[in-house]
Structures are given as C-alpha cells and as structure tokens.
C-alpha cells in the first residue's frame, strides 16, 4: 500500500516540527486553526477548478473522511502536548499495522501468519520503547500522570485515525 507508506513517512517527518508548535499552543486551538486553513484551501482549490459539483451525493464519504482526519490530528496534537514525539510516533506507527489486520479480520479476509507476526512484533517493539521511557531507562524522562496516560491513549487513537483516513482515501473502507 504505497499511499499508506508515504503517509506514514510524511507524518513521521512532520512530528518533530509539530511537537514544538503544539507544546506552546492549546491543542484544540491549534487543531481548529489547522482544520480551518485546510478547509479554506480546499474550498478555494475546488472553486477555482470548478470541481464543486463532484461533492453532490458524497456527503457521507466526506464526513467519514473528515472524521478520521479529525481523530488522527486532534489525537496527535493532544498527545504531543504531553508526551515526547518519539513515543507518539512509535505508538501511532505501531498500532497501524495491527489495526489494519483487525479490520481485515472484521471484513472476513484471510491474513497470512507472517503479517500477524510482523504487526505484533512492531507493536511489541513500540511497547518496549514506551516502557523504557516510563521506567526512566532512557534519555527521555516522563512522570506517569493522568495527562500522560491520556496522551498515550491519544497516540493510539491517532494511529487508528490515520489507518481509517488512509483506507477511506483508498476507497477500501465502508
């Protein structure tokens, strides 16, 4: 899935930049501004290229796609507010392959054992990183507080939202 790989690469590269920005601004404000600017850009783009008629009858698709985007980015920005970007990135990218396989099982598709092994090994590696950080055995030190715990779950939500967004874009999800 080339688009998923490219999306993961872009997301990973941008996280260091966003971590600094998000830590200085409230996450919901930052997300609201980002989504407003994105909507404005695409509305302008659609109007100048006269593609506004193509949206008729596809409002459900647009709502689901935007919902997945909001889940991914809102969770991402919130997680970056309280947790180091390496942890957010690890959880987001670690949950992705596993969640794709769970969706495939729900869709009653057959999955190779090797795919399960790779997805589970990726998630275990991410968990080892997080445990090392939370236990104080890494260069990054975190205190276990309620915002940190919520941010870890937000990182997982971010990965889920990214998978849903990617699959929606590829037209592979209802």
């Amino acid at each position: 899935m080339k688009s998923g790989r490219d999306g993961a690469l872009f997301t990973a590269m941008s996280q260091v930049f966003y971590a600094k920005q998000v830590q200085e601004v409230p996450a919901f404000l930052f997300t609201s501004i980002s989504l407003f600017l994105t909507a404005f850009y695409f509305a302008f783009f659609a109007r100048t290229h006269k593609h506004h008629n193509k949206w008729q009858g596809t409002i459900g698709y647009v709502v689901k796609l935007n919902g997945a985007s909001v889940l991914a980015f809102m969770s991402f920005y919130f997680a970056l507010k309280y947790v180091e970007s390496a942890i957010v990135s690890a959880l987001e990218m670690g949950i992705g392959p596993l969640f794709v396989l769970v969706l495939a099982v729900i869709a009653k598709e057959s999955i190779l054992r090797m795919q399960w092994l790779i997805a589970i090994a990726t998630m275990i590696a991410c968990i080892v990183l997080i445990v090392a950080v939370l236990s104080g055995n890494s260069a990054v030190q975190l205190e276990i507080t309620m915002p940190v715990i919520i941010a870890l779950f937000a990182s997982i939500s971010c990965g889920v939202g990214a998978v849903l967004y990617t699959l929606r874009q590829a037209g592979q999800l209802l």
Side-chain angles (χ1 to χ4, degrees), residues 5-58:
R5 184 179 63 237
D6 293 344
L9 178 63
F10 178 72
T11 300
M13 288 177 9
S14 66
Q15 285 183 349
V16 174
F17 171 75
Y18 287 129
K20 176 71 173 150
Q21 305 305 318
V22 171
Q23 289 172 351
E24 295 176 1
V25 176
F28 293 109
L29 176 63
F30 190 82
T31 305
S32 298
I33 291 170
S34 297
L35 291 175
F36 173 76
L37 291 174
T38 302
F40 181 77
Y41 170 79
F42 283 112
F44 176 77
F45 181 77
R47 185 169 295 268
T48 59
H49 287 87
K50 309 242 187 278
H51 288 198
H52 58 278
N53 291 334
K54 291 187 177 184
W55 294 103
Q56 291 177 344
T58 60

Short mmCIF file of all heavy atoms in Angstrom, two decimals, residues 5-58:
data_model
loop_
_atom_site.label_atom_id
_atom_site.label_comp_id
_atom_site.label_asym_id
_atom_site.label_seq_id
_atom_site.Cartn_x
_atom_site.Cartn_y
_atom_site.Cartn_z
N ARG A 5 2.31 4.01 3.08
CA ARG A 5 3.72 4.16 3.40
C ARG A 5 4.15 5.62 3.25
O ARG A 5 4.85 6.16 4.10
CB ARG A 5 4.56 3.27 2.49
CG ARG A 5 6.03 3.29 2.83
CD ARG A 5 6.85 2.38 1.92
NE ARG A 5 6.79 2.84 0.56
CZ ARG A 5 6.37 2.09 -0.46
NH1 ARG A 5 5.99 0.86 -0.27
NH2 ARG A 5 6.34 2.57 -1.68
N ASP A 6 3.69 6.27 2.20
CA ASP A 6 4.02 7.69 2.00
C ASP A 6 3.41 8.55 3.10
O ASP A 6 4.05 9.47 3.59
CB ASP A 6 3.53 8.18 0.64
CG ASP A 6 4.27 7.52 -0.52
OD1 ASP A 6 5.35 6.94 -0.27
OD2 ASP A 6 3.76 7.58 -1.64
N GLY A 7 2.17 8.24 3.49
CA GLY A 7 1.52 8.98 4.57
C GLY A 7 2.26 8.80 5.88
O GLY A 7 2.43 9.75 6.65
N ALA A 8 2.71 7.58 6.16
CA ALA A 8 3.45 7.32 7.39
C ALA A 8 4.77 8.08 7.39
O ALA A 8 5.17 8.65 8.41
CB ALA A 8 3.69 5.82 7.55
N LEU A 9 5.44 8.12 6.26
CA LEU A 9 6.71 8.83 6.16
C LEU A 9 6.50 10.33 6.37
O LEU A 9 7.23 10.96 7.14
CB LEU A 9 7.36 8.59 4.79
CG LEU A 9 8.67 9.31 4.52
CD1 LEU A 9 9.74 8.83 5.50
CD2 LEU A 9 9.12 9.08 3.09
N PHE A 10 5.48 10.89 5.72
CA PHE A 10 5.20 12.32 5.89
C PHE A 10 4.84 12.65 7.33
O PHE A 10 5.31 13.63 7.89
CB PHE A 10 4.06 12.73 4.95
CG PHE A 10 3.68 14.17 5.10
CD1 PHE A 10 4.52 15.18 4.63
CD2 PHE A 10 2.51 14.54 5.72
CE1 PHE A 10 4.19 16.51 4.78
CE2 PHE A 10 2.16 15.86 5.87
CZ PHE A 10 3.00 16.85 5.40
N THR A 11 4.02 11.80 7.94
CA THR A 11 3.62 12.02 9.33
C THR A 11 4.81 11.97 10.26
O THR A 11 4.97 12.83 11.13
CB THR A 11 2.57 10.97 9.76
OG1 THR A 11 1.44 11.09 8.91
CG2 THR A 11 2.14 11.17 11.19
N ALA A 12 5.67 10.98 10.07
CA ALA A 12 6.85 10.85 10.94
C ALA A 12 7.78 12.05 10.79
O ALA A 12 8.33 12.56 11.78
CB ALA A 12 7.59 9.56 10.62
N MET A 13 7.96 12.55 9.58
CA MET A 13 8.86 13.69 9.35
C MET A 13 8.31 14.97 9.96
O MET A 13 9.06 15.81 10.45
CB MET A 13 9.09 13.88 7.85
CG MET A 13 9.96 12.82 7.24
SD MET A 13 10.22 12.89 5.44
CE MET A 13 9.56 14.39 4.90
N SER A 14 6.99 15.12 9.95
CA SER A 14 6.41 16.37 10.43
C SER A 14 6.25 16.42 11.95
O SER A 14 6.05 17.49 12.51
CB SER A 14 5.05 16.60 9.77
OG SER A 14 4.14 15.61 10.18
N GLN A 15 6.35 15.28 12.63
CA GLN A 15 6.06 15.25 14.05
C GLN A 15 7.03 16.07 14.89
O GLN A 15 6.62 16.67 15.88
CB GLN A 15 6.01 13.82 14.55
CG GLN A 15 4.73 13.16 14.13
CD GLN A 15 4.60 11.76 14.65
OE1 GLN A 15 5.54 11.17 15.17
NE2 GLN A 15 3.41 11.21 14.51
N VAL A 16 8.28 16.11 14.54
CA VAL A 16 9.24 16.90 15.32
C VAL A 16 8.88 18.38 15.25
O VAL A 16 8.88 19.08 16.26
CB VAL A 16 10.67 16.66 14.83
CG1 VAL A 16 11.66 17.57 15.54
CG2 VAL A 16 11.07 15.21 15.02
N PHE A 17 8.53 18.86 14.07
CA PHE A 17 8.13 20.26 13.91
C PHE A 17 6.87 20.55 14.72
O PHE A 17 6.80 21.53 15.46
CB PHE A 17 7.91 20.59 12.44
CG PHE A 17 7.28 21.94 12.23
CD1 PHE A 17 8.04 23.09 12.37
CD2 PHE A 17 5.95 22.05 11.90
CE1 PHE A 17 7.46 24.35 12.19
CE2 PHE A 17 5.36 23.29 11.71
CZ PHE A 17 6.13 24.44 11.86
N TYR A 18 5.86 19.69 14.57
CA TYR A 18 4.60 19.92 15.25
C TYR A 18 4.72 19.83 16.76
O TYR A 18 3.99 20.51 17.47
CB TYR A 18 3.53 18.95 14.75
CG TYR A 18 3.03 19.26 13.37
CD1 TYR A 18 2.97 18.28 12.40
CD2 TYR A 18 2.62 20.54 13.04
CE1 TYR A 18 2.52 18.56 11.12
CE2 TYR A 18 2.16 20.83 11.77
CZ TYR A 18 2.11 19.83 10.82
OH TYR A 18 1.66 20.11 9.57
N ALA A 19 5.61 18.99 17.25
CA ALA A 19 5.77 18.85 18.70
C ALA A 19 6.08 20.20 19.34
O ALA A 19 5.50 20.58 20.35
CB ALA A 19 6.85 17.83 19.02
N LYS A 20 6.99 20.94 18.76
CA LYS A 20 7.36 22.25 19.29
C LYS A 20 6.19 23.22 19.20
O LYS A 20 5.91 23.96 20.15
CB LYS A 20 8.57 22.79 18.51
CG LYS A 20 8.99 24.17 18.90
CD LYS A 20 9.63 24.20 20.26
CE LYS A 20 10.19 25.58 20.53
NZ LYS A 20 10.19 25.92 21.91
N GLN A 21 5.48 23.22 18.09
CA GLN A 21 4.36 24.14 17.90
C GLN A 21 3.22 23.84 18.87
O GLN A 21 2.64 24.74 19.47
CB GLN A 21 3.83 24.07 16.47
CG GLN A 21 4.86 24.29 15.39
CD GLN A 21 5.60 25.60 15.55
OE1 GLN A 21 5.01 26.61 15.85
NE2 GLN A 21 6.91 25.57 15.37
N VAL A 22 2.90 22.57 19.02
CA VAL A 22 1.76 22.17 19.84
C VAL A 22 2.02 22.40 21.32
O VAL A 22 1.10 22.72 22.07
CB VAL A 22 1.41 20.70 19.56
CG1 VAL A 22 0.39 20.17 20.54
CG2 VAL A 22 0.89 20.56 18.15
N GLN A 23 3.24 22.26 21.76
CA GLN A 23 3.52 22.44 23.17
C GLN A 23 3.36 23.89 23.61
O GLN A 23 3.21 24.15 24.79
CB GLN A 23 4.92 21.92 23.49
CG GLN A 23 4.98 20.41 23.41
CD GLN A 23 6.38 19.87 23.53
OE1 GLN A 23 7.36 20.60 23.52
NE2 GLN A 23 6.48 18.54 23.63
N GLU A 24 3.35 24.82 22.69
CA GLU A 24 3.21 26.23 23.03
C GLU A 24 1.79 26.77 22.86
O GLU A 24 1.48 27.86 23.33
CB GLU A 24 4.18 27.06 22.18
CG GLU A 24 5.64 26.74 22.49
CD GLU A 24 6.60 27.49 21.58
OE1 GLU A 24 6.14 28.27 20.72
OE2 GLU A 24 7.81 27.27 21.73
N VAL A 25 0.91 26.03 22.19
CA VAL A 25 -0.44 26.48 21.90
C VAL A 25 -1.42 25.39 22.37
O VAL A 25 -1.10 24.21 22.24
CB VAL A 25 -0.61 26.70 20.37
CG1 VAL A 25 -2.03 27.08 20.02
CG2 VAL A 25 0.37 27.74 19.87
N PRO A 26 -2.60 25.75 22.89
CA PRO A 26 -3.57 24.73 23.25
C PRO A 26 -3.89 23.82 22.05
O PRO A 26 -4.09 24.31 20.92
CB PRO A 26 -4.80 25.53 23.67
CG PRO A 26 -4.26 26.85 24.11
CD PRO A 26 -3.06 27.10 23.23
N ALA A 27 -3.92 22.51 22.29
CA ALA A 27 -4.07 21.53 21.20
C ALA A 27 -5.35 21.75 20.40
O ALA A 27 -5.35 21.66 19.17
CB ALA A 27 -4.04 20.12 21.77
N PHE A 28 -6.46 22.04 21.07
CA PHE A 28 -7.72 22.21 20.36
C PHE A 28 -7.71 23.47 19.50
O PHE A 28 -8.25 23.49 18.40
CB PHE A 28 -8.90 22.21 21.33
CG PHE A 28 -9.09 20.87 22.00
CD1 PHE A 28 -8.79 20.70 23.33
CD2 PHE A 28 -9.54 19.79 21.27
CE1 PHE A 28 -8.95 19.47 23.94
CE2 PHE A 28 -9.70 18.55 21.86
CZ PHE A 28 -9.40 18.38 23.20
N LEU A 29 -7.08 24.52 19.98
CA LEU A 29 -6.96 25.74 19.19
C LEU A 29 -6.09 25.48 17.95
O LEU A 29 -6.45 25.88 16.84
CB LEU A 29 -6.36 26.87 20.03
CG LEU A 29 -6.08 28.19 19.29
CD1 LEU A 29 -7.39 28.79 18.78
CD2 LEU A 29 -5.36 29.16 20.21
N PHE A 30 -4.96 24.82 18.15
CA PHE A 30 -4.05 24.51 17.04
C PHE A 30 -4.76 23.66 15.99
O PHE A 30 -4.66 23.92 14.79
CB PHE A 30 -2.80 23.80 17.56
CG PHE A 30 -1.71 23.67 16.56
CD1 PHE A 30 -0.84 24.71 16.31
CD2 PHE A 30 -1.53 22.48 15.85
CE1 PHE A 30 0.18 24.60 15.38
CE2 PHE A 30 -0.52 22.36 14.92
CZ PHE A 30 0.34 23.41 14.69
N THR A 31 -5.50 22.64 16.44
CA THR A 31 -6.21 21.76 15.51
C THR A 31 -7.31 22.52 14.78
O THR A 31 -7.49 22.36 13.58
CB THR A 31 -6.80 20.56 16.25
OG1 THR A 31 -5.76 19.91 16.95
CG2 THR A 31 -7.44 19.59 15.30
N SER A 32 -8.04 23.34 15.51
CA SER A 32 -9.12 24.12 14.87
C SER A 32 -8.58 25.04 13.79
O SER A 32 -9.14 25.12 12.70
CB SER A 32 -9.87 24.93 15.92
OG SER A 32 -10.46 24.10 16.86
N ILE A 33 -7.50 25.72 14.09
CA ILE A 33 -6.89 26.61 13.10
C ILE A 33 -6.39 25.80 11.90
O ILE A 33 -6.62 26.18 10.75
CB ILE A 33 -5.75 27.44 13.73
CG1 ILE A 33 -6.33 28.45 14.73
CG2 ILE A 33 -4.93 28.14 12.66
CD1 ILE A 33 -5.29 29.15 15.58
N SER A 34 -5.74 24.68 12.16
CA SER A 34 -5.24 23.83 11.07
C SER A 34 -6.37 23.33 10.18
O SER A 34 -6.27 23.38 8.95
CB SER A 34 -4.47 22.63 11.64
OG SER A 34 -3.36 23.05 12.36
N LEU A 35 -7.44 22.84 10.80
CA LEU A 35 -8.56 22.33 10.01
C LEU A 35 -9.26 23.45 9.24
O LEU A 35 -9.67 23.26 8.09
CB LEU A 35 -9.55 21.60 10.92
CG LEU A 35 -9.05 20.28 11.50
CD1 LEU A 35 -10.06 19.72 12.48
CD2 LEU A 35 -8.76 19.27 10.40
N PHE A 36 -9.39 24.63 9.85
CA PHE A 36 -10.00 25.76 9.15
C PHE A 36 -9.17 26.15 7.92
O PHE A 36 -9.71 26.35 6.83
CB PHE A 36 -10.15 26.96 10.08
CG PHE A 36 -10.61 28.20 9.37
CD1 PHE A 36 -11.93 28.34 8.99
CD2 PHE A 36 -9.71 29.20 9.06
CE1 PHE A 36 -12.36 29.47 8.31
CE2 PHE A 36 -10.12 30.34 8.37
CZ PHE A 36 -11.45 30.47 8.00
N LEU A 37 -7.86 26.26 8.09
CA LEU A 37 -7.00 26.63 6.97
C LEU A 37 -7.03 25.57 5.87
O LEU A 37 -7.04 25.90 4.68
CB LEU A 37 -5.57 26.87 7.45
CG LEU A 37 -5.36 28.11 8.32
CD1 LEU A 37 -3.93 28.17 8.85
CD2 LEU A 37 -5.71 29.38 7.56
N THR A 38 -7.07 24.32 6.26
CA THR A 38 -7.14 23.24 5.27
C THR A 38 -8.46 23.29 4.52
O THR A 38 -8.48 23.18 3.28
CB THR A 38 -6.96 21.87 5.96
OG1 THR A 38 -5.71 21.86 6.65
CG2 THR A 38 -7.00 20.73 4.96
N ALA A 39 -9.56 23.45 5.23
CA ALA A 39 -10.88 23.54 4.59
C ALA A 39 -10.94 24.74 3.65
O ALA A 39 -11.46 24.65 2.53
CB ALA A 39 -11.98 23.63 5.64
N PHE A 40 -10.40 25.87 4.09
CA PHE A 40 -10.38 27.08 3.26
C PHE A 40 -9.57 26.82 1.98
O PHE A 40 -10.00 27.18 0.88
CB PHE A 40 -9.79 28.25 4.05
CG PHE A 40 -9.75 29.52 3.27
CD1 PHE A 40 -10.90 30.28 3.07
CD2 PHE A 40 -8.55 29.97 2.72
CE1 PHE A 40 -10.86 31.45 2.34
CE2 PHE A 40 -8.51 31.15 1.98
CZ PHE A 40 -9.66 31.89 1.79
N TYR A 41 -8.42 26.21 2.12
CA TYR A 41 -7.57 25.92 0.97
C TYR A 41 -8.30 25.04 -0.04
O TYR A 41 -8.34 25.33 -1.23
CB TYR A 41 -6.26 25.25 1.41
CG TYR A 41 -5.46 24.71 0.26
CD1 TYR A 41 -4.68 25.56 -0.52
CD2 TYR A 41 -5.50 23.36 -0.08
CE1 TYR A 41 -3.95 25.08 -1.59
CE2 TYR A 41 -4.78 22.88 -1.15
CZ TYR A 41 -4.01 23.73 -1.91
OH TYR A 41 -3.30 23.25 -2.97
N PHE A 42 -8.90 23.94 0.44
CA PHE A 42 -9.56 23.02 -0.49
C PHE A 42 -10.83 23.62 -1.08
O PHE A 42 -11.17 23.34 -2.23
CB PHE A 42 -9.82 21.68 0.17
CG PHE A 42 -8.58 20.84 0.26
CD1 PHE A 42 -8.01 20.55 1.49
CD2 PHE A 42 -7.96 20.35 -0.88
CE1 PHE A 42 -6.86 19.80 1.59
CE2 PHE A 42 -6.81 19.60 -0.80
CZ PHE A 42 -6.25 19.32 0.43
N ALA A 43 -11.54 24.44 -0.32
CA ALA A 43 -12.71 25.12 -0.87
C ALA A 43 -12.28 26.06 -1.99
O ALA A 43 -12.92 26.12 -3.05
CB ALA A 43 -13.45 25.87 0.23
N PHE A 44 -11.21 26.78 -1.76
CA PHE A 44 -10.69 27.69 -2.79
C PHE A 44 -10.22 26.89 -4.01
O PHE A 44 -10.54 27.25 -5.14
CB PHE A 44 -9.53 28.52 -2.23
CG PHE A 44 -8.89 29.42 -3.24
CD1 PHE A 44 -9.50 30.60 -3.63
CD2 PHE A 44 -7.68 29.07 -3.82
CE1 PHE A 44 -8.92 31.42 -4.58
CE2 PHE A 44 -7.09 29.88 -4.78
CZ PHE A 44 -7.70 31.06 -5.16
N PHE A 45 -9.51 25.81 -3.78
CA PHE A 45 -9.00 24.97 -4.87
C PHE A 45 -10.14 24.40 -5.69
O PHE A 45 -10.11 24.42 -6.92
CB PHE A 45 -8.13 23.85 -4.29
CG PHE A 45 -7.54 22.94 -5.33
CD1 PHE A 45 -6.45 23.33 -6.08
CD2 PHE A 45 -8.08 21.68 -5.53
CE1 PHE A 45 -5.90 22.50 -7.03
CE2 PHE A 45 -7.54 20.83 -6.48
CZ PHE A 45 -6.45 21.24 -7.23
N ALA A 46 -11.18 23.90 -5.02
CA ALA A 46 -12.32 23.32 -5.73
C ALA A 46 -13.06 24.38 -6.53
O ALA A 46 -13.49 24.14 -7.65
CB ALA A 46 -13.27 22.66 -4.73
N ARG A 47 -13.19 25.58 -5.96
CA ARG A 47 -13.90 26.65 -6.66
C ARG A 47 -13.13 27.11 -7.90
O ARG A 47 -13.73 27.33 -8.95
CB ARG A 47 -14.14 27.83 -5.72
CG ARG A 47 -14.98 28.92 -6.34
CD ARG A 47 -15.41 29.93 -5.32
NE ARG A 47 -16.29 29.35 -4.33
CZ ARG A 47 -17.62 29.35 -4.43
NH1 ARG A 47 -18.20 29.90 -5.47
NH2 ARG A 47 -18.36 28.82 -3.51
N THR A 48 -11.81 27.24 -7.79
CA THR A 48 -11.04 27.71 -8.94
C THR A 48 -10.97 26.66 -10.05
O THR A 48 -10.80 27.02 -11.21
CB THR A 48 -9.60 28.11 -8.54
OG1 THR A 48 -8.94 26.99 -7.97
CG2 THR A 48 -9.62 29.28 -7.57
N HIS A 49 -11.11 25.40 -9.69
CA HIS A 49 -11.07 24.34 -10.70
C HIS A 49 -12.46 23.82 -11.04
O HIS A 49 -12.60 22.82 -11.74
CB HIS A 49 -10.18 23.20 -10.22
CG HIS A 49 -8.73 23.55 -10.26
ND1 HIS A 49 -8.09 24.19 -9.23
CD2 HIS A 49 -7.81 23.40 -11.23
CE1 HIS A 49 -6.84 24.40 -9.55
NE2 HIS A 49 -6.63 23.93 -10.76
N LYS A 50 -13.47 24.48 -10.51
CA LYS A 50 -14.87 24.17 -10.80
C LYS A 50 -15.20 22.69 -10.54
O LYS A 50 -15.90 22.05 -11.30
CB LYS A 50 -15.21 24.53 -12.24
CG LYS A 50 -14.81 25.94 -12.62
CD LYS A 50 -16.00 26.75 -12.99
CE LYS A 50 -15.59 28.10 -13.53
NZ LYS A 50 -15.30 29.09 -12.58
N HIS A 51 -14.71 22.16 -9.42
CA HIS A 51 -14.99 20.77 -9.05
C HIS A 51 -16.04 20.68 -7.96
O HIS A 51 -16.25 19.62 -7.42
CB HIS A 51 -13.71 20.09 -8.55
CG HIS A 51 -12.73 19.82 -9.64
ND1 HIS A 51 -11.72 18.93 -9.51
CD2 HIS A 51 -12.60 20.31 -10.89
CE1 HIS A 51 -10.99 18.89 -10.62
NE2 HIS A 51 -11.52 19.73 -11.46
N HIS A 52 -16.72 21.76 -7.65
CA HIS A 52 -17.67 21.75 -6.55
C HIS A 52 -18.87 20.85 -6.81
O HIS A 52 -19.49 20.38 -5.89
CB HIS A 52 -18.12 23.17 -6.20
CG HIS A 52 -18.74 23.92 -7.34
ND1 HIS A 52 -17.99 24.55 -8.29
CD2 HIS A 52 -20.04 24.09 -7.66
CE1 HIS A 52 -18.81 25.11 -9.17
NE2 HIS A 52 -20.05 24.84 -8.81
N ASN A 53 -19.22 20.56 -8.05
CA ASN A 53 -20.36 19.70 -8.35
C ASN A 53 -20.08 18.23 -8.04
O ASN A 53 -21.00 17.45 -7.91
CB ASN A 53 -20.77 19.84 -9.81
CG ASN A 53 -21.37 21.20 -10.09
OD1 ASN A 53 -21.90 21.83 -9.19
ND2 ASN A 53 -21.26 21.65 -11.33
N LYS A 54 -18.83 17.84 -7.95
CA LYS A 54 -18.49 16.44 -7.69
C LYS A 54 -18.82 16.02 -6.26
O LYS A 54 -18.79 14.85 -5.95
CB LYS A 54 -17.01 16.19 -7.96
CG LYS A 54 -16.66 16.27 -9.43
CD LYS A 54 -15.24 15.86 -9.67
CE LYS A 54 -14.95 15.87 -11.16
NZ LYS A 54 -13.62 15.41 -11.45
N TRP A 55 -19.14 16.95 -5.38
CA TRP A 55 -19.43 16.61 -3.99
C TRP A 55 -20.88 16.15 -3.82
O TRP A 55 -21.22 15.60 -2.79
CB TRP A 55 -19.16 17.79 -3.07
CG TRP A 55 -17.72 18.13 -3.01
CD1 TRP A 55 -17.09 19.17 -3.63
CD2 TRP A 55 -16.69 17.43 -2.32
NE1 TRP A 55 -15.75 19.15 -3.37
CE2 TRP A 55 -15.48 18.09 -2.56
CE3 TRP A 55 -16.68 16.29 -1.53
CZ2 TRP A 55 -14.28 17.67 -2.04
CZ3 TRP A 55 -15.48 15.87 -1.00
CH2 TRP A 55 -14.30 16.54 -1.26
N GLN A 56 -21.73 16.39 -4.78
CA GLN A 56 -23.14 16.02 -4.64
C GLN A 56 -23.27 14.51 -4.49
O GLN A 56 -22.71 13.74 -5.26
CB GLN A 56 -23.93 16.50 -5.85
CG GLN A 56 -24.03 18.01 -5.90
CD GLN A 56 -24.76 18.50 -7.14
OE1 GLN A 56 -24.93 17.76 -8.08
NE2 GLN A 56 -25.19 19.74 -7.10
N GLY A 57 -24.00 14.09 -3.45
CA GLY A 57 -24.24 12.67 -3.22
C GLY A 57 -23.13 11.96 -2.49
O GLY A 57 -23.20 10.76 -2.27
N THR A 58 -22.07 12.66 -2.11
CA THR A 58 -20.94 12.01 -1.44
C THR A 58 -20.71 12.58 -0.05
O THR A 58 -19.63 12.42 0.50
CB THR A 58 -19.65 12.17 -2.26
OG1 THR A 58 -19.38 13.56 -2.42
CG2 THR A 58 -19.75 11.50 -3.60
#
